[in-house]
PDB file of all heavy atoms in Angstrom:
ATOM      1  N   LEU H  29      -6.241  24.271  13.297  1.00 97.00           N
ATOM      2  CA  LEU H  29      -5.168  23.639  12.532  1.00 97.00           C
ATOM      3  C   LEU H  29      -5.485  23.703  11.039  1.00 97.00           C
ATOM      4  O   LEU H  29      -6.646  23.757  10.652  1.00 97.00           O
ATOM      5  CB  LEU H  29      -5.012  22.171  12.934  1.00 97.00           C
ATOM      6  CG  LEU H  29      -3.950  21.884  13.998  1.00 97.00           C
ATOM      7  CD1 LEU H  29      -4.348  22.482  15.316  1.00 97.00           C
ATOM      8  CD2 LEU H  29      -3.723  20.401  14.126  1.00 97.00           C
ATOM      9  N   SER H  30      -4.436  23.672  10.225  1.00 97.00           N
ATOM     10  CA  SER H  30      -4.646  23.651   8.777  1.00 97.00           C
ATOM     11  C   SER H  30      -5.289  22.323   8.391  1.00 97.00           C
ATOM     12  O   SER H  30      -5.204  21.333   9.130  1.00 97.00           O
ATOM     13  CB  SER H  30      -3.303  23.792   8.049  1.00 97.00           C
ATOM     14  OG  SER H  30      -2.526  22.619   8.206  1.00 97.00           O
ATOM     15  N   GLU H  31      -5.925  22.308   7.233  1.00 97.00           N
ATOM     16  CA  GLU H  31      -6.601  21.090   6.766  1.00 97.00           C
ATOM     17  C   GLU H  31      -5.616  19.930   6.642  1.00 97.00           C
ATOM     18  O   GLU H  31      -5.906  18.807   7.043  1.00 97.00           O
ATOM     19  CB  GLU H  31      -7.268  21.370   5.416  1.00 97.00           C
ATOM     20  CG  GLU H  31      -8.135  20.224   4.932  1.00 97.00           C
ATOM     21  CD  GLU H  31      -8.892  20.560   3.652  1.00 97.00           C
ATOM     22  OE1 GLU H  31      -9.163  21.751   3.415  1.00 97.00           O
ATOM     23  OE2 GLU H  31      -9.199  19.619   2.914  1.00 97.00           O
ATOM     24  N   LYS H  32      -4.435  20.218   6.102  1.00 97.00           N
ATOM     25  CA  LYS H  32      -3.425  19.176   5.890  1.00 97.00           C
ATOM     26  C   LYS H  32      -2.928  18.601   7.220  1.00 97.00           C
ATOM     27  O   LYS H  32      -2.821  17.384   7.385  1.00 97.00           O
ATOM     28  CB  LYS H  32      -2.251  19.763   5.098  1.00 97.00           C
ATOM     29  CG  LYS H  32      -1.270  18.741   4.607  1.00 97.00           C
ATOM     30  CD  LYS H  32      -0.252  19.384   3.682  1.00 97.00           C
ATOM     31  CE  LYS H  32       0.698  18.343   3.113  1.00 97.00           C
ATOM     32  NZ  LYS H  32       1.656  18.934   2.198  1.00 97.00           N
ATOM     33  N   GLU H  33      -2.637  19.471   8.170  1.00 98.00           N
ATOM     34  CA  GLU H  33      -2.157  19.019   9.478  1.00 98.00           C
ATOM     35  C   GLU H  33      -3.259  18.303  10.244  1.00 98.00           C
ATOM     36  O   GLU H  33      -3.009  17.295  10.913  1.00 98.00           O
ATOM     37  CB  GLU H  33      -1.639  20.212  10.291  1.00 98.00           C
ATOM     38  CG  GLU H  33      -1.131  19.852  11.675  1.00 98.00           C
ATOM     39  CD  GLU H  33       0.085  18.946  11.711  1.00 98.00           C
ATOM     40  OE1 GLU H  33       0.713  18.707  10.660  1.00 98.00           O
ATOM     41  OE2 GLU H  33       0.416  18.456  12.806  1.00 98.00           O
ATOM     42  N   ALA H  34      -4.491  18.782  10.131  1.00 98.00           N
ATOM     43  CA  ALA H  34      -5.621  18.131  10.799  1.00 98.00           C
ATOM     44  C   ALA H  34      -5.810  16.708  10.268  1.00 98.00           C
ATOM     45  O   ALA H  34      -6.028  15.774  11.040  1.00 98.00           O
ATOM     46  CB  ALA H  34      -6.891  18.949  10.603  1.00 98.00           C
ATOM     47  N   GLU H  35      -5.702  16.547   8.945  1.00 97.00           N
ATOM     48  CA  GLU H  35      -5.846  15.209   8.351  1.00 97.00           C
ATOM     49  C   GLU H  35      -4.721  14.296   8.820  1.00 97.00           C
ATOM     50  O   GLU H  35      -4.956  13.136   9.171  1.00 97.00           O
ATOM     51  CB  GLU H  35      -5.835  15.310   6.826  1.00 97.00           C
ATOM     52  CG  GLU H  35      -6.019  13.958   6.163  1.00 97.00           C
ATOM     53  CD  GLU H  35      -6.019  14.005   4.647  1.00 97.00           C
ATOM     54  OE1 GLU H  35      -5.602  15.039   4.083  1.00 97.00           O
ATOM     55  OE2 GLU H  35      -6.424  13.009   4.038  1.00 97.00           O
ATOM     56  N   ARG H  36      -3.491  14.806   8.838  1.00 97.00           N
ATOM     57  CA  ARG H  36      -2.348  13.999   9.270  1.00 97.00           C
ATOM     58  C   ARG H  36      -2.539  13.513  10.705  1.00 97.00           C
ATOM     59  O   ARG H  36      -2.361  12.328  10.997  1.00 97.00           O
ATOM     60  CB  ARG H  36      -1.063  14.828   9.163  1.00 97.00           C
ATOM     61  CG  ARG H  36       0.195  14.018   9.431  1.00 97.00           C
ATOM     62  CD  ARG H  36       1.414  14.893   9.598  1.00 97.00           C
ATOM     63  NE  ARG H  36       1.371  15.668  10.837  1.00 97.00           N
ATOM     64  CZ  ARG H  36       1.639  15.169  12.047  1.00 97.00           C
ATOM     65  NH1 ARG H  36       1.934  13.903  12.193  1.00 97.00           N
ATOM     66  NH2 ARG H  36       1.593  15.932  13.113  1.00 97.00           N
ATOM     67  N   ARG H  37      -2.933  14.425  11.578  1.00 97.00           N
ATOM     68  CA  ARG H  37      -3.130  14.066  12.985  1.00 97.00           C
ATOM     69  C   ARG H  37      -4.305  13.116  13.172  1.00 97.00           C
ATOM     70  O   ARG H  37      -4.258  12.223  14.018  1.00 97.00           O
ATOM     71  CB  ARG H  37      -3.338  15.312  13.834  1.00 97.00           C
ATOM     72  CG  ARG H  37      -2.083  16.130  14.002  1.00 97.00           C
ATOM     73  CD  ARG H  37      -2.299  17.185  15.058  1.00 97.00           C
ATOM     74  NE  ARG H  37      -1.183  18.103  15.135  1.00 97.00           N
ATOM     75  CZ  ARG H  37      -1.076  19.046  16.060  1.00 97.00           C
ATOM     76  NH1 ARG H  37      -2.023  19.205  16.963  1.00 97.00           N
ATOM     77  NH2 ARG H  37      -0.037  19.849  16.076  1.00 97.00           N
ATOM     78  N   ALA H  38      -5.363  13.325  12.392  1.00 97.00           N
ATOM     79  CA  ALA H  38      -6.543  12.461  12.500  1.00 97.00           C
ATOM     80  C   ALA H  38      -6.182  11.018  12.164  1.00 97.00           C
ATOM     81  O   ALA H  38      -6.541  10.094  12.895  1.00 97.00           O
ATOM     82  CB  ALA H  38      -7.651  12.963  11.586  1.00 97.00           C
ATOM     83  N   TRP H  39      -5.454  10.801  11.062  1.00 96.00           N
ATOM     84  CA  TRP H  39      -5.084   9.438  10.680  1.00 96.00           C
ATOM     85  C   TRP H  39      -4.074   8.848  11.652  1.00 96.00           C
ATOM     86  O   TRP H  39      -4.112   7.648  11.937  1.00 96.00           O
ATOM     87  CB  TRP H  39      -4.572   9.388   9.237  1.00 96.00           C
ATOM     88  CG  TRP H  39      -5.720   9.475   8.283  1.00 96.00           C
ATOM     89  CD1 TRP H  39      -6.068  10.528   7.504  1.00 96.00           C
ATOM     90  CD2 TRP H  39      -6.715   8.470   8.052  1.00 96.00           C
ATOM     91  NE1 TRP H  39      -7.211  10.241   6.802  1.00 96.00           N
ATOM     92  CE2 TRP H  39      -7.629   8.984   7.114  1.00 96.00           C
ATOM     93  CE3 TRP H  39      -6.928   7.182   8.555  1.00 96.00           C
ATOM     94  CZ2 TRP H  39      -8.733   8.266   6.675  1.00 96.00           C
ATOM     95  CZ3 TRP H  39      -8.021   6.469   8.104  1.00 96.00           C
ATOM     96  CH2 TRP H  39      -8.917   7.002   7.175  1.00 96.00           C
ATOM     97  N   ALA H  40      -3.188   9.678  12.212  1.00 96.00           N
ATOM     98  CA  ALA H  40      -2.252   9.188  13.231  1.00 96.00           C
ATOM     99  C   ALA H  40      -3.022   8.707  14.458  1.00 96.00           C
ATOM    100  O   ALA H  40      -2.674   7.681  15.057  1.00 96.00           O
ATOM    101  CB  ALA H  40      -1.262  10.288  13.606  1.00 96.00           C
ATOM    102  N   THR H  41      -4.079   9.430  14.809  1.00 96.00           N
ATOM    103  CA  THR H  41      -4.908   9.052  15.953  1.00 96.00           C
ATOM    104  C   THR H  41      -5.642   7.740  15.690  1.00 96.00           C
ATOM    105  O   THR H  41      -5.675   6.851  16.543  1.00 96.00           O
ATOM    106  CB  THR H  41      -5.917  10.171  16.285  1.00 96.00           C
ATOM    107  OG1 THR H  41      -5.199  11.377  16.539  1.00 96.00           O
ATOM    108  CG2 THR H  41      -6.757   9.813  17.499  1.00 96.00           C
ATOM    109  N   VAL H  42      -6.218   7.607  14.501  1.00 94.00           N
ATOM    110  CA  VAL H  42      -6.913   6.358  14.137  1.00 94.00           C
ATOM    111  C   VAL H  42      -5.932   5.190  14.170  1.00 94.00           C
ATOM    112  O   VAL H  42      -6.237   4.123  14.705  1.00 94.00           O
ATOM    113  CB  VAL H  42      -7.588   6.478  12.750  1.00 94.00           C
ATOM    114  CG1 VAL H  42      -8.070   5.116  12.259  1.00 94.00           C
ATOM    115  CG2 VAL H  42      -8.744   7.459  12.813  1.00 94.00           C
ATOM    116  N   ASN H  43      -4.733   5.387  13.626  1.00 93.00           N
ATOM    117  CA  ASN H  43      -3.731   4.321  13.628  1.00 93.00           C
ATOM    118  C   ASN H  43      -3.340   3.933  15.044  1.00 93.00           C
ATOM    119  O   ASN H  43      -3.180   2.747  15.346  1.00 93.00           O
ATOM    120  CB  ASN H  43      -2.484   4.754  12.853  1.00 93.00           C
ATOM    121  CG  ASN H  43      -2.702   4.730  11.364  1.00 93.00           C
ATOM    122  OD1 ASN H  43      -3.532   3.988  10.864  1.00 93.00           O
ATOM    123  ND2 ASN H  43      -1.963   5.553  10.648  1.00 93.00           N
ATOM    124  N   LYS H  44      -3.183   4.921  15.911  1.00 93.00           N
ATOM    125  CA  LYS H  44      -2.805   4.636  17.288  1.00 93.00           C
ATOM    126  C   LYS H  44      -3.914   3.866  18.012  1.00 93.00           C
ATOM    127  O   LYS H  44      -3.647   2.911  18.731  1.00 93.00           O
ATOM    128  CB  LYS H  44      -2.496   5.936  18.030  1.00 93.00           C
ATOM    129  CG  LYS H  44      -2.005   5.716  19.431  1.00 93.00           C
ATOM    130  CD  LYS H  44      -1.585   7.007  20.091  1.00 93.00           C
ATOM    131  CE  LYS H  44      -1.049   6.731  21.484  1.00 93.00           C
ATOM    132  NZ  LYS H  44      -0.655   7.947  22.177  1.00 93.00           N
ATOM    133  N   GLN H  45      -5.162   4.284  17.797  1.00 91.00           N
ATOM    134  CA  GLN H  45      -6.288   3.652  18.487  1.00 91.00           C
ATOM    135  C   GLN H  45      -6.609   2.268  17.930  1.00 91.00           C
ATOM    136  O   GLN H  45      -6.918   1.347  18.679  1.00 91.00           O
ATOM    137  CB  GLN H  45      -7.529   4.538  18.386  1.00 91.00           C
ATOM    138  CG  GLN H  45      -7.420   5.808  19.199  1.00 91.00           C
ATOM    139  CD  GLN H  45      -8.614   6.732  19.015  1.00 91.00           C
ATOM    140  OE1 GLN H  45      -9.439   6.537  18.123  1.00 91.00           O
ATOM    141  NE2 GLN H  45      -8.703   7.740  19.852  1.00 91.00           N
ATOM    142  N   ASP H  46      -6.562   2.123  16.612  1.00 88.00           N
ATOM    143  CA  ASP H  46      -7.027   0.888  15.973  1.00 88.00           C
ATOM    144  C   ASP H  46      -5.889   0.014  15.444  1.00 88.00           C
ATOM    145  O   ASP H  46      -6.136  -1.088  14.952  1.00 88.00           O
ATOM    146  CB  ASP H  46      -7.967   1.211  14.809  1.00 88.00           C
ATOM    147  CG  ASP H  46      -9.242   1.905  15.276  1.00 88.00           C
ATOM    148  OD1 ASP H  46      -9.496   1.922  16.494  1.00 88.00           O
ATOM    149  OD2 ASP H  46      -9.977   2.423  14.425  1.00 88.00           O
ATOM    150  N   GLY H  47      -4.672   0.491  15.466  1.00 86.00           N
ATOM    151  CA  GLY H  47      -3.541  -0.306  15.004  1.00 86.00           C
ATOM    152  C   GLY H  47      -3.393  -0.356  13.502  1.00 86.00           C
ATOM    153  O   GLY H  47      -2.783  -1.274  12.973  1.00 86.00           O
ATOM    154  N   GLY H  48      -3.955   0.589  12.763  1.00 80.00           N
ATOM    155  CA  GLY H  48      -3.774   0.637  11.312  1.00 80.00           C
ATOM    156  C   GLY H  48      -5.012   0.248  10.544  1.00 80.00           C
ATOM    157  O   GLY H  48      -6.126   0.453  11.009  1.00 80.00           O
ATOM    158  N   GLY H  49      -4.801  -0.336   9.362  1.00 79.00           N
ATOM    159  CA  GLY H  49      -5.883  -0.636   8.432  1.00 79.00           C
ATOM    160  C   GLY H  49      -6.832  -1.713   8.891  1.00 79.00           C
ATOM    161  O   GLY H  49      -6.932  -2.035  10.074  1.00 79.00           O
ATOM    162  N   LYS H  50      -7.549  -2.312   7.938  1.00 75.00           N
ATOM    163  CA  LYS H  50      -8.615  -3.266   8.228  1.00 75.00           C
ATOM    164  C   LYS H  50      -8.154  -4.398   9.123  1.00 75.00           C
ATOM    165  O   LYS H  50      -7.164  -5.063   8.839  1.00 75.00           O
ATOM    166  CB  LYS H  50      -9.152  -3.862   6.927  1.00 75.00           C
ATOM    167  CG  LYS H  50     -10.013  -2.927   6.143  1.00 75.00           C
ATOM    168  CD  LYS H  50     -10.577  -3.594   4.910  1.00 75.00           C
ATOM    169  CE  LYS H  50     -11.373  -2.600   4.091  1.00 75.00           C
ATOM    170  NZ  LYS H  50     -11.730  -3.100   2.794  1.00 75.00           N
ATOM    171  N   LYS H  51      -8.887  -4.572  10.181  1.00 68.00           N
ATOM    172  CA  LYS H  51      -8.667  -5.702  11.076  1.00 68.00           C
ATOM    173  C   LYS H  51     -10.036  -6.081  11.618  1.00 68.00           C
ATOM    174  O   LYS H  51     -10.954  -5.285  11.586  1.00 68.00           O
ATOM    175  CB  LYS H  51      -7.742  -5.311  12.223  1.00 68.00           C
ATOM    176  CG  LYS H  51      -6.331  -5.045  11.751  1.00 68.00           C
ATOM    177  CD  LYS H  51      -5.353  -5.010  12.881  1.00 68.00           C
ATOM    178  CE  LYS H  51      -3.964  -4.918  12.288  1.00 68.00           C
ATOM    179  NZ  LYS H  51      -3.103  -4.036  12.986  1.00 68.00           N
ATOM    180  N   GLY H  52     -10.124  -7.241  12.126  1.00 63.00           N
ATOM    181  CA  GLY H  52     -11.396  -7.657  12.696  1.00 63.00           C
ATOM    182  C   GLY H  52     -11.646  -9.117  12.416  1.00 63.00           C
ATOM    183  O   GLY H  52     -10.842  -9.772  11.760  1.00 63.00           O
ATOM    184  N   GLY H  53     -12.699  -9.624  12.930  1.00 62.00           N
ATOM    185  CA  GLY H  53     -12.979 -11.033  12.784  1.00 62.00           C
ATOM    186  C   GLY H  53     -12.163 -11.833  13.784  1.00 62.00           C
ATOM    187  O   GLY H  53     -11.353 -11.296  14.529  1.00 62.00           O
ATOM    188  N   SER H  54     -12.332 -13.119  13.773  1.00 61.00           N
ATOM    189  CA  SER H  54     -11.643 -13.944  14.766  1.00 61.00           C
ATOM    190  C   SER H  54     -10.163 -14.047  14.440  1.00 61.00           C
ATOM    191  O   SER H  54      -9.769 -14.199  13.281  1.00 61.00           O
ATOM    192  CB  SER H  54     -12.270 -15.335  14.812  1.00 61.00           C
ATOM    193  OG  SER H  54     -12.077 -15.977  13.589  1.00 61.00           O
ATOM    194  N   GLY H  55      -9.361 -13.931  15.469  1.00 59.00           N
ATOM    195  CA  GLY H  55      -7.926 -14.110  15.318  1.00 59.00           C
ATOM    196  C   GLY H  55      -7.165 -12.928  14.763  1.00 59.00           C
ATOM    197  O   GLY H  55      -6.015 -13.059  14.373  1.00 59.00           O
ATOM    198  N   HIS H  56      -7.776 -11.764  14.679  1.00 56.00           N
ATOM    199  CA  HIS H  56      -7.090 -10.606  14.118  1.00 56.00           C
ATOM    200  C   HIS H  56      -6.823  -9.511  15.125  1.00 56.00           C
ATOM    201  O   HIS H  56      -6.810  -8.352  14.797  1.00 56.00           O
ATOM    202  CB  HIS H  56      -7.915 -10.019  12.953  1.00 56.00           C
ATOM    203  CG  HIS H  56      -7.789 -10.803  11.706  1.00 56.00           C
ATOM    204  ND1 HIS H  56      -8.787 -11.604  11.253  1.00 56.00           N
ATOM    205  CD2 HIS H  56      -6.776 -10.933  10.828  1.00 56.00           C
ATOM    206  CE1 HIS H  56      -8.409 -12.193  10.128  1.00 56.00           C
ATOM    207  NE2 HIS H  56      -7.181 -11.794   9.854  1.00 56.00           N
TER     208      HIS H  56
END
Side-chain angles (χ1 to χ4, degrees):
L29 265 67
S30 70
E31 187 175 333
K32 190 172 183 178
E33 179 64 10
E35 182 180 15
R36 187 192 69 77
R37 289 191 187 186
W39 284 107
T41 303
V42 169
N43 285 334
K44 184 175 182 181
Q45 290 176 348
D46 296 348
K50 286 183 184 169
K51 292 195 173 139
S54 64
H56 283 106

